[in-house]
Structure formats: structure tokens, C-alpha cells
Amino acid sequence: WATLADARFTDGPANDGDSFVVTHRGGTHTLRLYFVDCCEKRRYDLVRSRIVDQAAYFGGITETQVITLGRRARDRTKELLTTRPARYHTRWERVFDSERFYAHVEVQTESGDWQQLAAVLVAEGLARIHTKPADLPDGTAAVQFTGTLRQLERTARTRRLGGWQHAAAPPAD
């Protein structure tokens, strides 16, 4: 893993809850979180089917609620990455044929512990578990972290947090 020491979140129009630009050593890189997918923040033809999938995942919410949730996720990610220390880890693995690179991102909690940004987003009901997994830089196996995410999602769904707030279907156990 390459740890991007002193990387900083950079505002940009393409930033969303799971992909964002960081500045590092005079250059910029677009990073994409492993494990999670945040809802779309706007409508356009290329994401129409993804919005339908995201709406179904969160229990049948509306397209407008998907877009609102995507914007909330974008804002929450920005808030965390601009107000707390963060650590960015990547293997420079490209996301499909794009200019983005998969990454694990940790944010420091108020107690001083480090928590995966993906876990924060799932725990708050702002992301679905859906995309490429990878073992964590600390050696935690991807399958173990997926289990952690599933538990966080169950709790968010039960508490009707984030996207689960307006779910048409009752929370599953």
C-alpha cells in the first residue's frame, strides 16, 4: 500500500460521497473508495439504471430521495475529510478505464481512533455495500471487513438512518 502522506481533500465538481479529488505532492488524484457506493448526486442518462438500483437497495425510495441522499453523502465526505485528520491508502489500481484509483481512507474520530470512511458512510445510511472489496492496509481481510459493514448496515437500517429513513419496506433483521 502507498500511503499518501499530507494528501488533502480538494473541492471539485466531480466529487461525491465515494469518489473525490486529493492534492498530494503538487499533483491531484481522484480516489474511489473500496467496498461502498454512494447514491448519485444528479440525474443524467448514463446513471439512470444506477439510480433505479440504488433506490431499490434502500427499500424502494424515490429517485428524488436517491439524489438527495447522494448529495448528503457528498457533503458528509467533504465534511469529514476537511475537518478531521485523514489517511489515504492506495495501490494505484485503476477503477475500470477511468482516471480514478481505488483507495482505503481512514478518518480520525473525536476520541483519536481511526475509522474507515466506508464504515462511517454505511453506519450513517449514506452508502450501500456495493463495489470492489480489498484487504485493508492493516491486514484486515476483505471478508472480515465486509462482515463489519453488514452489521453496521443492519443497525442503520433498524434505526432508519440516511437512505433507510424513507424505505417503503420495513427494516429487515
PDB file of all heavy atoms in Angstrom, residues 78-95:
ATOM      1  N   LYS A  78     -17.078  15.318   2.365  1.00  0.00           N
ATOM      2  CA  LYS A  78     -16.311  16.567   2.370  1.00  0.00           C
ATOM      3  C   LYS A  78     -16.093  17.058   3.800  1.00  0.00           C
ATOM      4  O   LYS A  78     -14.982  17.453   4.166  1.00  0.00           O
ATOM      5  CB  LYS A  78     -17.025  17.634   1.548  1.00  0.00           C
ATOM      6  CG  LYS A  78     -16.298  18.965   1.560  1.00  0.00           C
ATOM      7  CD  LYS A  78     -17.032  20.020   0.765  1.00  0.00           C
ATOM      8  CE  LYS A  78     -16.299  21.359   0.852  1.00  0.00           C
ATOM      9  NZ  LYS A  78     -16.970  22.398   0.055  1.00  0.00           N
ATOM     10  N   GLU A  79     -17.140  17.027   4.594  1.00  0.00           N
ATOM     11  CA  GLU A  79     -17.025  17.483   5.983  1.00  0.00           C
ATOM     12  C   GLU A  79     -15.955  16.683   6.731  1.00  0.00           C
ATOM     13  O   GLU A  79     -15.081  17.255   7.392  1.00  0.00           O
ATOM     14  CB  GLU A  79     -18.375  17.341   6.696  1.00  0.00           C
ATOM     15  CG  GLU A  79     -18.304  17.643   8.175  1.00  0.00           C
ATOM     16  CD  GLU A  79     -19.552  17.212   8.930  1.00  0.00           C
ATOM     17  OE1 GLU A  79     -20.522  16.744   8.303  1.00  0.00           O
ATOM     18  OE2 GLU A  79     -19.536  17.322  10.161  1.00  0.00           O
ATOM     19  N   LEU A  80     -16.027  15.369   6.635  1.00  0.00           N
ATOM     20  CA  LEU A  80     -15.074  14.530   7.358  1.00  0.00           C
ATOM     21  C   LEU A  80     -13.644  14.749   6.881  1.00  0.00           C
ATOM     22  O   LEU A  80     -12.714  14.803   7.685  1.00  0.00           O
ATOM     23  CB  LEU A  80     -15.456  13.057   7.220  1.00  0.00           C
ATOM     24  CG  LEU A  80     -16.712  12.641   7.981  1.00  0.00           C
ATOM     25  CD1 LEU A  80     -17.152  11.244   7.544  1.00  0.00           C
ATOM     26  CD2 LEU A  80     -16.482  12.707   9.487  1.00  0.00           C
ATOM     27  N   LEU A  81     -13.469  14.862   5.567  1.00  0.00           N
ATOM     28  CA  LEU A  81     -12.118  14.962   5.021  1.00  0.00           C
ATOM     29  C   LEU A  81     -11.525  16.363   5.117  1.00  0.00           C
ATOM     30  O   LEU A  81     -10.329  16.533   4.891  1.00  0.00           O
ATOM     31  CB  LEU A  81     -12.094  14.467   3.577  1.00  0.00           C
ATOM     32  CG  LEU A  81     -12.448  12.989   3.404  1.00  0.00           C
ATOM     33  CD1 LEU A  81     -12.401  12.591   1.938  1.00  0.00           C
ATOM     34  CD2 LEU A  81     -11.541  12.095   4.244  1.00  0.00           C
ATOM     35  N   THR A  82     -12.335  17.352   5.465  1.00  0.00           N
ATOM     36  CA  THR A  82     -11.802  18.705   5.627  1.00  0.00           C
ATOM     37  C   THR A  82     -11.736  19.148   7.078  1.00  0.00           C
ATOM     38  O   THR A  82     -11.082  20.145   7.374  1.00  0.00           O
ATOM     39  CB  THR A  82     -12.625  19.738   4.827  1.00  0.00           C
ATOM     40  OG1 THR A  82     -13.983  19.709   5.264  1.00  0.00           O
ATOM     41  CG2 THR A  82     -12.536  19.475   3.331  1.00  0.00           C
ATOM     42  N   THR A  83     -12.386  18.423   7.988  1.00  0.00           N
ATOM     43  CA  THR A  83     -12.377  18.852   9.394  1.00  0.00           C
ATOM     44  C   THR A  83     -11.630  17.895  10.310  1.00  0.00           C
ATOM     45  O   THR A  83     -11.424  18.204  11.476  1.00  0.00           O
ATOM     46  CB  THR A  83     -13.813  19.022   9.937  1.00  0.00           C
ATOM     47  OG1 THR A  83     -14.479  17.746   9.924  1.00  0.00           O
ATOM     48  CG2 THR A  83     -14.591  20.054   9.121  1.00  0.00           C
ATOM     49  N   ARG A  84     -11.240  16.737   9.805  1.00  0.00           N
ATOM     50  CA  ARG A  84     -10.540  15.746  10.625  1.00  0.00           C
ATOM     51  C   ARG A  84      -9.294  15.263   9.906  1.00  0.00           C
ATOM     52  O   ARG A  84      -9.247  15.245   8.680  1.00  0.00           O
ATOM     53  CB  ARG A  84     -11.445  14.540  10.885  1.00  0.00           C
ATOM     54  CG  ARG A  84     -12.689  14.894  11.656  1.00  0.00           C
ATOM     55  CD  ARG A  84     -13.471  13.660  11.972  1.00  0.00           C
ATOM     56  NE  ARG A  84     -14.703  14.025  12.666  1.00  0.00           N
ATOM     57  CZ  ARG A  84     -15.484  13.160  13.238  1.00  0.00           C
ATOM     58  NH1 ARG A  84     -15.197  11.879  13.191  1.00  0.00           N
ATOM     59  NH2 ARG A  84     -16.571  13.553  13.847  1.00  0.00           N
ATOM     60  N   PRO A  85      -8.302  14.823  10.672  1.00  0.00           N
ATOM     61  CA  PRO A  85      -7.151  14.190  10.012  1.00  0.00           C
ATOM     62  C   PRO A  85      -7.621  12.957   9.236  1.00  0.00           C
ATOM     63  O   PRO A  85      -8.532  12.245   9.674  1.00  0.00           O
ATOM     64  CB  PRO A  85      -6.247  13.797  11.181  1.00  0.00           C
ATOM     65  CG  PRO A  85      -6.634  14.727  12.295  1.00  0.00           C
ATOM     66  CD  PRO A  85      -8.115  14.944  12.125  1.00  0.00           C
ATOM     67  N   ALA A  86      -7.013  12.736   8.085  1.00  0.00           N
ATOM     68  CA  ALA A  86      -7.375  11.589   7.250  1.00  0.00           C
ATOM     69  C   ALA A  86      -6.107  10.937   6.719  1.00  0.00           C
ATOM     70  O   ALA A  86      -5.085  11.590   6.536  1.00  0.00           O
ATOM     71  CB  ALA A  86      -8.264  12.036   6.086  1.00  0.00           C
ATOM     72  N   ARG A  87      -6.212   9.627   6.500  1.00  0.00           N
ATOM     73  CA  ARG A  87      -5.113   8.873   5.897  1.00  0.00           C
ATOM     74  C   ARG A  87      -5.652   8.204   4.642  1.00  0.00           C
ATOM     75  O   ARG A  87      -6.701   7.568   4.668  1.00  0.00           O
ATOM     76  CB  ARG A  87      -4.581   7.812   6.873  1.00  0.00           C
ATOM     77  CG  ARG A  87      -4.005   8.416   8.135  1.00  0.00           C
ATOM     78  CD  ARG A  87      -3.254   7.422   8.994  1.00  0.00           C
ATOM     79  NE  ARG A  87      -4.103   6.372   9.556  1.00  0.00           N
ATOM     80  CZ  ARG A  87      -3.874   5.794  10.732  1.00  0.00           C
ATOM     81  NH1 ARG A  87      -2.843   6.155  11.476  1.00  0.00           N
ATOM     82  NH2 ARG A  87      -4.662   4.846  11.158  1.00  0.00           N
ATOM     83  N   TYR A  88      -4.903   8.345   3.556  1.00  0.00           N
ATOM     84  CA  TYR A  88      -5.295   7.825   2.249  1.00  0.00           C
ATOM     85  C   TYR A  88      -4.319   6.721   1.861  1.00  0.00           C
ATOM     86  O   TYR A  88      -3.116   6.941   1.835  1.00  0.00           O
ATOM     87  CB  TYR A  88      -5.254   8.939   1.201  1.00  0.00           C
ATOM     88  CG  TYR A  88      -6.121  10.127   1.542  1.00  0.00           C
ATOM     89  CD1 TYR A  88      -5.626  11.172   2.326  1.00  0.00           C
ATOM     90  CD2 TYR A  88      -7.427  10.209   1.085  1.00  0.00           C
ATOM     91  CE1 TYR A  88      -6.419  12.270   2.639  1.00  0.00           C
ATOM     92  CE2 TYR A  88      -8.225  11.305   1.393  1.00  0.00           C
ATOM     93  CZ  TYR A  88      -7.716  12.327   2.175  1.00  0.00           C
ATOM     94  OH  TYR A  88      -8.502  13.411   2.475  1.00  0.00           O
ATOM     95  N   HIS A  89      -4.857   5.532   1.534  1.00  0.00           N
ATOM     96  CA  HIS A  89      -4.033   4.385   1.147  1.00  0.00           C
ATOM     97  C   HIS A  89      -4.499   3.879  -0.211  1.00  0.00           C
ATOM     98  O   HIS A  89      -5.695   3.659  -0.416  1.00  0.00           O
ATOM     99  CB  HIS A  89      -4.176   3.238   2.154  1.00  0.00           C
ATOM    100  CG  HIS A  89      -3.984   3.652   3.580  1.00  0.00           C
ATOM    101  ND1 HIS A  89      -2.752   3.822   4.149  1.00  0.00           N
ATOM    102  CD2 HIS A  89      -4.885   3.933   4.554  1.00  0.00           C
ATOM    103  CE1 HIS A  89      -2.891   4.178   5.420  1.00  0.00           C
ATOM    104  NE2 HIS A  89      -4.176   4.255   5.684  1.00  0.00           N
ATOM    105  N   THR A  90      -3.572   3.675  -1.125  1.00  0.00           N
ATOM    106  CA  THR A  90      -3.930   3.187  -2.455  1.00  0.00           C
ATOM    107  C   THR A  90      -2.858   2.236  -2.969  1.00  0.00           C
ATOM    108  O   THR A  90      -1.713   2.275  -2.523  1.00  0.00           O
ATOM    109  CB  THR A  90      -4.138   4.354  -3.446  1.00  0.00           C
ATOM    110  OG1 THR A  90      -4.601   3.823  -4.683  1.00  0.00           O
ATOM    111  CG2 THR A  90      -2.870   5.165  -3.645  1.00  0.00           C
ATOM    112  N   ARG A  91      -3.253   1.415  -3.896  1.00  0.00           N
ATOM    113  CA  ARG A  91      -2.315   0.562  -4.638  1.00  0.00           C
ATOM    114  C   ARG A  91      -2.212   1.051  -6.077  1.00  0.00           C
ATOM    115  O   ARG A  91      -1.686   0.365  -6.930  1.00  0.00           O
ATOM    116  CB  ARG A  91      -2.802  -0.890  -4.635  1.00  0.00           C
ATOM    117  CG  ARG A  91      -2.693  -1.548  -3.293  1.00  0.00           C
ATOM    118  CD  ARG A  91      -3.124  -2.992  -3.410  1.00  0.00           C
ATOM    119  NE  ARG A  91      -2.918  -3.678  -2.159  1.00  0.00           N
ATOM    120  CZ  ARG A  91      -3.586  -4.741  -1.777  1.00  0.00           C
ATOM    121  NH1 ARG A  91      -4.502  -5.268  -2.578  1.00  0.00           N
ATOM    122  NH2 ARG A  91      -3.349  -5.312  -0.623  1.00  0.00           N
ATOM    123  N   TRP A  92      -2.788   2.209  -6.354  1.00  0.00           N
ATOM    124  CA  TRP A  92      -2.828   2.802  -7.692  1.00  0.00           C
ATOM    125  C   TRP A  92      -3.545   1.887  -8.683  1.00  0.00           C
ATOM    126  O   TRP A  92      -3.229   1.848  -9.858  1.00  0.00           O
ATOM    127  CB  TRP A  92      -1.440   3.191  -8.186  1.00  0.00           C
ATOM    128  CG  TRP A  92      -0.777   4.163  -7.262  1.00  0.00           C
ATOM    129  CD1 TRP A  92       0.326   3.926  -6.493  1.00  0.00           C
ATOM    130  CD2 TRP A  92      -1.181   5.500  -6.984  1.00  0.00           C
ATOM    131  NE1 TRP A  92       0.617   5.044  -5.739  1.00  0.00           N
ATOM    132  CE2 TRP A  92      -0.292   6.035  -6.034  1.00  0.00           C
ATOM    133  CE3 TRP A  92      -2.217   6.321  -7.435  1.00  0.00           C
ATOM    134  CZ2 TRP A  92      -0.395   7.327  -5.534  1.00  0.00           C
ATOM    135  CZ3 TRP A  92      -2.323   7.610  -6.938  1.00  0.00           C
ATOM    136  CH2 TRP A  92      -1.423   8.094  -6.006  1.00  0.00           C
ATOM    137  N   GLU A  93      -4.530   1.165  -8.176  1.00  0.00           N
ATOM    138  CA  GLU A  93      -5.362   0.305  -9.020  1.00  0.00           C
ATOM    139  C   GLU A  93      -6.469   1.158  -9.635  1.00  0.00           C
ATOM    140  O   GLU A  93      -7.259   1.773  -8.920  1.00  0.00           O
ATOM    141  CB  GLU A  93      -5.970  -0.812  -8.162  1.00  0.00           C
ATOM    142  CG  GLU A  93      -6.898  -1.715  -8.905  1.00  0.00           C
ATOM    143  CD  GLU A  93      -7.548  -2.757  -7.996  1.00  0.00           C
ATOM    144  OE1 GLU A  93      -7.361  -2.723  -6.768  1.00  0.00           O
ATOM    145  OE2 GLU A  93      -8.263  -3.607  -8.561  1.00  0.00           O
ATOM    146  N   ARG A  94      -6.516   1.165 -10.954  1.00  0.00           N
ATOM    147  CA  ARG A  94      -7.499   1.994 -11.654  1.00  0.00           C
ATOM    148  C   ARG A  94      -8.916   1.425 -11.513  1.00  0.00           C
ATOM    149  O   ARG A  94      -9.116   0.218 -11.489  1.00  0.00           O
ATOM    150  CB  ARG A  94      -7.159   2.101 -13.129  1.00  0.00           C
ATOM    151  CG  ARG A  94      -5.967   2.991 -13.378  1.00  0.00           C
ATOM    152  CD  ARG A  94      -5.989   3.534 -14.798  1.00  0.00           C
ATOM    153  NE  ARG A  94      -4.791   4.310 -15.043  1.00  0.00           N
ATOM    154  CZ  ARG A  94      -4.687   5.617 -14.801  1.00  0.00           C
ATOM    155  NH1 ARG A  94      -5.704   6.268 -14.314  1.00  0.00           N
ATOM    156  NH2 ARG A  94      -3.567   6.254 -15.057  1.00  0.00           N
ATOM    157  N   VAL A  95      -9.856   2.335 -11.450  1.00  0.00           N
ATOM    158  CA  VAL A  95     -11.275   1.985 -11.442  1.00  0.00           C
ATOM    159  C   VAL A  95     -11.707   1.896 -12.896  1.00  0.00           C
ATOM    160  O   VAL A  95     -11.793   2.914 -13.587  1.00  0.00           O
ATOM    161  CB  VAL A  95     -12.107   3.047 -10.697  1.00  0.00           C
ATOM    162  CG1 VAL A  95     -13.582   2.677 -10.728  1.00  0.00           C
ATOM    163  CG2 VAL A  95     -11.603   3.208  -9.271  1.00  0.00           C
TER     164      VAL A  95
END
